[in-house]
Amino acid sequence: MTNLAVAQTTPTKKLSTQMCALLFIFSADSALMAAVETCVDLKTESIDWPEIRRRCASPGHLAAISLAYAIWTDQIMEGCNPFELALNMDAKLQRSCLQALAMRWGHKA
């Protein structure tokens, strides 16, 4: 059996609502996605938050990361106020964060 055949017959695990919400935020900005993509493991649904925080230098990206962290852990990232930082996000990133929160809370985004 080829690798493609194995991949097609192996059931894929559905991603959690939290992971989908985070991916929605990250994919709203190509630079943000490039910074975080190697820190997110979809197979194990694990995230290297300290590394993500080190990689995100812009205040807008830090705001998006802090909101993503809050969605993932139901806690505020130490030393970050996501609502204050949100003023640094562009409109597209702000919209995606609001939609991700709605997804997390079970509302259609």
Side-chain angles (χ1 to χ4, degrees):
M1 191 179 272
T2 66
N3 286 344
L4 180 58
V6 171
Q8 290 174 337
T9 59
T10 305
T12 56
K13 179 184 166 197
K14 183 178 176 185
L15 294 175
S16 67
T17 302
Q18 291 91 334
M19 181 60 79
C20 290
L22 269 57
L23 294 174
F24 194 81
I25 292 171
F26 298 155
S27 65
D29 184 290
S30 59
L32 177 59
M33 180 57 102
V36 305
E37 66 186 340
T38 60
C39 300
V40 177
D41 186 336
L42 295 178
K43 289 180 184 172
T44 61
E45 288 206 22
S46 59
I47 301 169
D48 185 352
W49 290 108
E51 182 61 24
I52 287 178
R53 193 165 178 185
R54 276 192 290 278
R55 291 181 183 194
C56 293
S58 82
H61 287 174
L62 182 57
I65 292 303
S66 66
L67 281 167
Y69 180 85
I71 289 170
W72 188 254
T73 64
D74 293 325
Q75 297 176 15
I76 301 295
M77 187 179 279
E78 190 173 329
C80 287
N81 180 338
F83 299 104
E84 188 176 293
L85 290 170
L87 300 171
N88 297 299
M89 288 189 284
D90 63 26
K92 183 178 178 185
L93 201 49
Q94 288 175 340
R95 264 191 313 276
S96 70
C97 286
L98 289 173
Q99 289 173 308
L101 282 168
M103 290 169 68
R104 171 64 174 95
W105 293 331
H107 301 288
K108 291 188 178 190

